[in-house]
Amino acid sequence: MSELFDAVDALVASRAPLPPPPERKRLRQAHGLTLDEVAAALQVRRATVSGWESVKKTTEPRGPEREAYARLLNKLAELYPAPAAAPEPVPATFTGQPAPAERTPYAGSASEHESLQTAPDPAPTAEQAGPRPARAARSTPTSRRPGVKKAAPAGTPARGTNPRFENGPLAVVDIDPDGQVLAYCTGGLVLDVPAKTLPALVDWTLEEARLGQARLHRHGKDADPVLVLTPAALERYGLPAELSPEERRAGRLPAGHKVVKQIAKAGQHLTQRGFGAWTRVYREPEGSRRRCVQLCIPAWGALPVDQWDDKNNPLLPTMHAADLARFLGTYAERVMTPRGTTAVTGLELMTALRPPTRAEKDATTGEFKQVLNEDALTRLYEVVECEVPDEHPILKGKFARHHQRTPAEMLMEEPYNWCRPLTDDECMQPYLIAIDVNMAFAAAANGLTVGLNGPTHLTGHPAFDPALPGSWLVDLSHVDLARVQINGRTVDADRLPSPFTPTGERPTGPAWYATPTVAYAVELGFDVAPIEAYVRTQTGRYLDPWYKRLRDAYVETMADLGVTTDLGGSEFLDAMARSKEADPALALVLKAIKATAKGGIGKLRQRNRGQVPYYEPWPALERTTWRPDIRAAVLASVRVSMHRKMLKTAAAAGVYPVAIGTDALVYPSPGPSPLDFLPHTPEGKPAPGTFRLGVSPGMVKHQGTQTVLWAEQQFEEHGGVFNIANIIKTDPATGEGE
């Protein structure tokens, strides 16, 4: 009988009533709980809890999670009863369109306030036991106008989770119609800025503005505050509206510029990069506390259109300062405070999540000392000739002038760029459909084992070990896909690219490959006999937290656009179509997240961009994160993962790609939708191991559809020497940044 009662209790609990989403958020905030803390307690993802609290989503907890969530909310409701009369939230939009001159400064809403928090909340004090109001612009006795407030002086008790960063990670500095300098922060807060000069603005930021972001790892560093200067602010502080041609080439203002002299006279410093689009101005640290402010100047090219904006319909140049603050603040909360381009930020995110050092107490002296973290990249190591680009100093004098290195001399792990003619049967199909792998570079980094130390040279035909990341010189020309069987079926090898070269051509002899590529040859059932290798013996899944941070940012932003992880098939395609018109500026956040993933991997092998002559060291080589071997492993994983799914798709449905461009594949189809050619089981589910429609990284989305006749016209026009995968896009912005 007790078992029956338990079953009844579980059934009732599975339908436990829950308060509406805004009340769920209020209760969590009232107790000082973060989304991460609730997610960890309920053993779900942060984005899942965020979805339960969002009025835009329809996802609801189920099963044991619902029971536990209801129990949490009931206990919190006892501690923090709903207020008698809650004030109406100030409506806000985020469309990226210019705001009217008479508008009240952007105030945000109660729900937006929490979504832009960056640091974990401490346990509430006695004074904080009640529900905390949403941070919003409001009048104060010292304000000049409604909706604007002055920053609290140093030493004033701060609201929010961290007194030092109460006002968010960044602010956009602009001038209102009355000529007053205002700082638009995340969450709708607008600060009255008293600074008359740029050095005074820096000191105000350090002493009063309460801007910055808490560290992402307990051994890491807090992010410096960022000030975004609008054209009006540039004029106010004596900076040019745009750089001259000479200044653009140098990437900075000259040392004799009056603002640069003001900074030096005030006892502040610039980094060696000088005063450019992204500038760091700092004072000497106070103990272990940094005193640095980062300036972002969009008018000088700080936010390139190919990374941060829509090149077909630019929004940032006309975006109101408040909306720009929310745009960049949302990115900062979900990824991190921008440190420069999205590529720079992607690389900095790796270090922020895997700090190279930590403080450790010496057992004998009792003093703290700096020690290295074993799971991070901690020092510079010698490089390997086959892994470096052509201009690297180590190659000086190795080859004749203009020599083109061969695969036996250079590790050529790159994404696919492959296209083939259509067969007669494929020409009879009416459509060509391009599908795109979501966050392909980030997905390939998930679970990837990489080397954390320097290379060990193995000679004398070493045995291949898939557990050792590195580069292997091996002959894979004997691998014949016609001999490969998938689920008892043999595929047509002539219609598939080789998995071992970016061009899809079959290898002709020994070549250097990253470990994932050689491991795939073994997976296909072929013997490999390496000639030599450079491997790393200290290994780890260095990129895992980086992937998870970007995955959650991507999934959460897609959910805000109406595309959630529980959608598949036609529901997913419909949601993706609607998302294109949901919120243009929020779509820019999504684009920046994707560009961060791709750019971060590219920065691992940043090349000489003309900073120094050929064969001379360039600045990137001084970074511990200049690791071309890790980049090669990620790109090899991208290519191998795609080929594995191509094989499974060909075996399941007899369909083959006709073109591949980086992370986009083109398939012939009898209908205009991916559902018309992607294989499914009799139950209607995606065939195991094949491409699957969905929002999660590694799954695919519809990139575009064209007719076969159109493709034939393109081949005739271009002589067949181009890749149609790069131009089949229903939406011109689709795929940007990936």
Side-chain angles (χ1 to χ4, degrees):
M1 184 64 71
S2 62
E3 294 180 356
L4 292 177
F5 288 166
D6 291 342
V8 170
D9 291 342
L11 184 62
V12 173
S14 69
R15 301 295 189 274
L18 298 174
E23 176 65 6
R24 303 172 196 175
K25 180 174 291 186
R26 184 194 71 81
L27 292 171
R28 176 176 59 77
Q29 292 175 335
H31 200 59
L33 297 175
T34 66
L35 292 170
D36 290 318
E37 289 172 330
V38 175
L42 300 179
Q43 299 181 5
V44 296
R45 293 194 312 167
R46 180 183 188 277
T48 301
V49 180
S50 177
W52 295 344
E53 295 182 357
S54 173
V55 296
K56 297 180 181 179
K57 306 171 192 172
T58 58
T59 57
E60 288 286 314
R62 293 177 239 173
E65 290 83 6
R66 186 183 184 93
E67 178 182 0
Y69 190 44
R71 181 180 179 87
L72 170 67
L73 295 176
N74 288 337
K75 287 184 175 296
L76 294 178
E78 295 174 2
L79 295 173
Y80 312 106
E88 288 290 329
V90 181
T93 59
F94 184 31
T95 63
Q97 301 303 317
E102 67 275 13
R103 66 174 271 176
T104 301
Y106 179 84
S109 65
S111 62
E112 289 168 346
H113 167 60
E114 171 60 26
S115 69
L116 293 168
Q117 291 298 310
T118 58
D121 291 342
T125 62
E127 293 79 13
Q128 296 170 324
R132 293 178 295 206
R135 185 177 69 221
R138 64 175 186 271
S139 301
T140 67
T142 57
S143 296
R144 296 193 180 194
R145 64 192 58 75
V148 181
K149 83 180 193 89
K150 291 184 179 290
T156 303
R159 296 172 288 108
T161 60
N162 189 318
R164 290 180 56 205
F165 312 132
E166 176 192 14
N167 295 331
L170 53 85
V172 179
V173 180
D174 197 14
I175 313 299
D176 74 354
D178 297 332
Q180 174 63 30
V181 183
L182 302 177
Y184 293 84
C185 307
T186 58
L189 181 67
V190 184
L191 302 180
D192 199 340
V193 181
K196 304 299 183 185
T197 65
L198 192 70
L201 177 65
V202 171
D203 285 337
W204 171 83
T205 304
L206 293 173
E207 297 168 6
E208 300 182 40
R210 300 183 185 276
L211 295 173
Q213 187 177 42
R215 64 197 68 185
L216 299 180
H217 188 282
R218 62 193 182 101
H219 297 314
K221 299 177 181 178
D222 296 333
D224 298 325
V226 173
L227 296 181
V228 184
L229 304 183
T230 65
L234 294 178
E235 182 180 359
R236 170 62 59 92
Y237 290 114
L239 294 167
E242 59 182 19
L243 298 178
S244 68
E246 294 79 11
E247 292 166 348
R248 283 198 300 272
R249 282 193 293 270
R252 68 189 75 183
L253 293 177
H257 193 277
K258 64 177 183 179
V259 174
V260 177
K261 290 181 177 180
Q262 287 176 357
I263 291 172
K265 186 177 180 180
Q268 300 171 355
H269 308 278
L270 296 172
T271 61
Q272 291 182 352
R273 299 185 64 179
F275 202 116
W278 286 93
T279 299
R280 289 187 181 276
V281 186
Y282 66 94
R283 288 191 177 276
E284 295 298 330
E286 290 181 344
S288 61
R289 180 179 176 182
R290 288 166 56 91
R291 294 194 297 167
C292 181
V293 175
Q294 189 168 13
L295 304 179
C296 168
I297 306 179
W300 295 2
L303 302 174
V305 66
D306 60 330
Q307 301 173 17
W308 296 96
D309 208 349
D310 182 355
K311 63 183 180 183
N312 299 301
N313 180 30
L315 300 179
L316 297 187
T318 58
M319 189 177 284
H320 188 271
D323 291 329
L324 182 59
R326 185 190 169 203
F327 163 55
L328 294 175
T330 301
Y331 176 89
E333 185 269 334
R334 295 180 181 179
V335 181
M336 70 180 302
T337 301
R339 305 287 181 87
T341 64
T342 52
V344 169
T345 305
L347 190 68
E348 291 288 336
L349 181 62
M350 296 180 193
T351 304
L353 295 170
R354 293 282 200 193
T357 62
R358 71 180 187 277
E360 186 176 275
K361 192 173 184 179
D362 191 305
T364 57
T365 64
E367 296 182 354
F368 282 92
K369 61 180 180 180
Q370 192 177 75
V371 297
L372 301 178
N373 288 320
E374 294 182 355
D375 61 354
L377 302 178
T378 57
R379 57 170 67 96
L380 289 172
Y381 294 99
E382 60 179 305
V383 296
V384 178
E385 288 185 15
C386 68
E387 295 175 348
V388 300
D390 293 336
E391 66 271 24
H392 196 279
I394 198 176
L395 299 179
K396 187 174 183 178
K398 298 285 185 179
F399 302 101
R401 185 175 176 84
H402 304 305
H403 171 75
Q404 187 72 33
R405 286 196 288 170
T406 66
E409 298 167 335
M410 179 182 183
L411 180 66
M412 296 183 179
E413 294 287 12
E414 300 292 339
Y416 269 125
N417 184 13
W418 169 82
C419 189
R420 66 169 175 83
L422 277 68
T423 65
D424 291 341
D425 290 341
E426 290 168 344
C427 287
M428 299 301 294
Q429 298 283 4
Y431 297 102
L432 289 179
I433 296 180
I435 55 176
D436 179 79
V437 181
N438 300 327
M439 297 278 285
F441 290 83
N446 182 30
L448 180 66
T449 300
V450 301
L452 301 178
N453 63 343
T456 298
H457 191 192
L458 305 180
T459 58
H461 296 276
F464 174 68
D465 185 350
L468 289 178
S471 303
W472 304 79
L473 181 61
V474 59
D475 189 350
L476 298 179
S477 59
H478 64 287
V479 177
D480 184 3
L481 295 181
R483 294 163 47 197
V484 176
Q485 287 197 340
I486 304 296
N487 298 329
R489 297 184 59 178
T490 302
V491 299
D492 184 351
D494 292 336
R495 291 198 280 172
L496 284 175
S498 167
F500 308 124
T501 63
T503 61
E505 298 177 357
R506 186 167 173 174
T508 57
W512 285 101
Y513 301 101
T515 298
T517 302
V518 184
Y520 186 55
V522 175
E523 178 186 326
L524 293 176
F526 295 91
D527 295 328
V528 297
I531 301 170
E532 61 175 314
Y534 290 93
V535 298
R536 279 79 180 174
T537 55
Q538 180 187 345
T539 65
R541 292 166 57 163
Y542 173 76
L543 295 171
D544 272 10
W546 180 83
Y547 160 75
K548 292 175 182 176
R549 180 80 176 178
L550 290 173
R551 175 203 63 192
D552 290 348
Y554 179 80
V555 170
E556 187 171 354
T557 306
M558 287 299 299
D560 287 342
L561 292 170
V563 187
T564 55
T565 54
D566 58 342
L567 299 178
S570 59
E571 290 182 331
F572 168 74
L573 294 175
D574 292 341
M576 285 295 297
R578 292 192 300 269
S579 72
K580 298 183 189 331
E581 307 297 332
D583 189 333
L586 192 58
L588 297 185
V589 177
L590 185 73
K591 176 181 178 178
I593 293 170
K594 295 188 289 186
T596 302
K598 180 180 179 181
I601 296 300
K603 276 285 184 179
L604 292 170
R605 196 199 67 165
Q606 180 176 331
R607 303 189 66 170
N608 180 4
R609 297 173 297 182
Q611 304 106 311
V612 298
Y614 224 65
Y615 296 132
E616 293 296 323
W618 60 94
L621 301 183
E622 300 175 2
R623 297 194 317 252
T624 59
T625 50
W626 195 83
R627 291 293 301 270
D629 58 301
I630 296 180
R631 172 188 177 273
V634 172
L635 297 188
S637 297
V638 171
R639 204 176 59 249
V640 163
S641 174
M642 293 175 69
H643 194 273
R644 186 182 290 113
K645 292 179 181 179
M646 281 186 273
L647 275 178
K648 296 287 183 67
T649 302
V655 293
Y656 296 83
V658 299
I660 310 174
T662 307
D663 50 11
L665 304 94
V666 177
Y667 275 90
S669 173
S673 167
L675 295 173
D676 294 320
F677 75 89
L678 289 176
H680 289 76
T681 64
E683 295 76 23
K685 296 182 179 180
T690 64
F691 294 105
R692 180 178 178 183
L693 290 170
V695 72
S696 297
M699 301 173 76
V700 300
K701 60 180 177 291
H702 182 206
Q703 179 168 291
T705 297
Q706 292 287 356
T707 65
V708 170
L709 179 60
W710 169 89
E712 293 296 338
Q713 292 172 342
Q714 297 296 318
F715 283 127
E716 291 180 6
E717 180 179 341
H718 295 85
V721 189
F722 86 115
N723 192 339
I724 60 174
N726 298 324
I727 59 174
I728 299 183
K729 293 181 174 70
T730 301
D731 178 359
T734 300
E736 284 187 3
E738 292 189 77

